[in-house]
């Protein structure tokens, strides 16, 4: 896929807004594409492939440009969550599961504004469950303009080549 252009005010933004546990995105190339989130949204997720990923990735390449002022921006995935939710009580964590990212390469640009808190070359935030990385590469650019004096941004930005942060009992 080449030449995607997406500009959105808020919310989840990527080629796929979300994927479920056990799903697979495979054999995908995103080239010369642009994703921009216009406004600050603490729930906003920006990525080139999946905004809220609970599934697997295999053989994925992207050189997209991501521009955001939101908390989460990841080259491939904004929010990686390998967890099954308890269906009898919506919103409560259930059993941790395993997801994998194999042969993933992000060679694009992430430009995060004053509120960009969790920024990662492959995933912005990895949360719950077990996530395996195999043959994943970040060779792009991250430009973070985080400003702790910006209202609601907190005191620290988490910026990393692979991921911005790993939280909540996650095993990588």
């Amino acid at each position: 896929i080449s030449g995607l252009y997406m500009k959105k005010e808020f919310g989840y933004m990527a080629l796929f807004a979300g994927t479920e546990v056990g799903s697979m995105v495979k054999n995908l190339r995103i080239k010369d594409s642009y994703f921009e989130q216009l406004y600050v949204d603490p729930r906003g997720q920006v990525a080139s492939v999946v905004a809220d990923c609970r599934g697997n990735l295999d053989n994925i390449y992207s050189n997209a440009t991501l521009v955001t002022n939101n908390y989460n921006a990841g080259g491939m995935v904004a929010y990686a969550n390998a967890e099954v939710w308890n269906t009898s009580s919506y919103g409560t964590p259930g059993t941790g599961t395993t997801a994998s990212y194999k042969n993933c390469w992000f060679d694009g640009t992430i430009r995060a504004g004053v509120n960009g808190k969790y920024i990662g070359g492959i995933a912005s935030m990895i949360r719950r469950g077990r996530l395996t990385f195999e043959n994943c590469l970040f060779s792009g650019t991250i430009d973070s303009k985080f400003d702790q004096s910006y209202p609601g941004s907190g005191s620290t930005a988490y910026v990393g080549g692979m991921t911005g942060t790993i939280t909540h009992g996650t095993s990588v």
Side-chain angles (χ1 to χ4, degrees):
I1 298 174
S2 180
L4 288 173
Y5 181 86
M6 190 179 298
K7 223 173 188 179
K8 188 174 172 186
E9 293 180 2
F10 55 85
Y12 288 14
M13 183 186 331
L15 178 61
F16 301 104
T19 57
E20 293 299 322
V21 171
S23 64
M24 171 73 75
V25 177
K26 190 172 185 174
N27 299 327
L28 176 66
R29 294 177 63 81
I30 297 175
K31 294 184 69 180
D32 305 323
S33 296
Y34 183 86
F35 300 84
E36 181 177 1
Q37 194 127 50
L38 300 172
Y39 301 116
V40 174
D41 175 8
R43 298 166 312 218
Q45 317 281 335
V46 179
S48 63
V49 181
V50 184
D52 184 359
C53 187
R54 296 168 191 266
N56 303 287
L57 303 178
D58 188 10
N59 196 27
I60 310 292
Y61 169 82
S62 174
N63 72 351
T65 297
L66 311 175
V67 179
T68 184
N69 273 319
N70 286 315
Y71 277 23
N72 296 318
M76 295 280 174
V77 170
Y79 186 75
N81 188 352
E83 179 177 48
V84 176
W85 288 89
N86 183 339
T87 56
S88 65
S89 176
Y90 178 77
T92 59
T95 307
T97 61
T98 301
S100 66
Y101 295 178
K102 296 179 181 176
N103 306 310
C104 296
W105 177 17
F106 184 76
D107 190 36
T109 300
I110 302 171
R111 287 194 294 256
V114 295
N115 207 31
K117 188 166 178 89
Y118 304 107
I119 313 298
I122 301 295
S124 68
M125 177 184 288
I126 301 171
R127 184 176 171 156
R128 294 193 174 105
R130 173 176 284 146
L131 181 60
T132 303
F133 288 97
E134 183 181 324
N135 265 346
C136 291
L137 173 67
F138 168 71
S139 59
T141 303
I142 296 175
D143 179 15
S144 175
K145 304 270 192 253
F146 180 79
D147 182 351
Q148 67 184 16
S149 67
Y150 190 83
S153 64
S155 61
T156 306
Y158 301 89
V159 179
M162 189 61 77
T163 183
T165 190
I166 301 170
T167 67
H168 299 290
T170 302
S171 175
V172 177

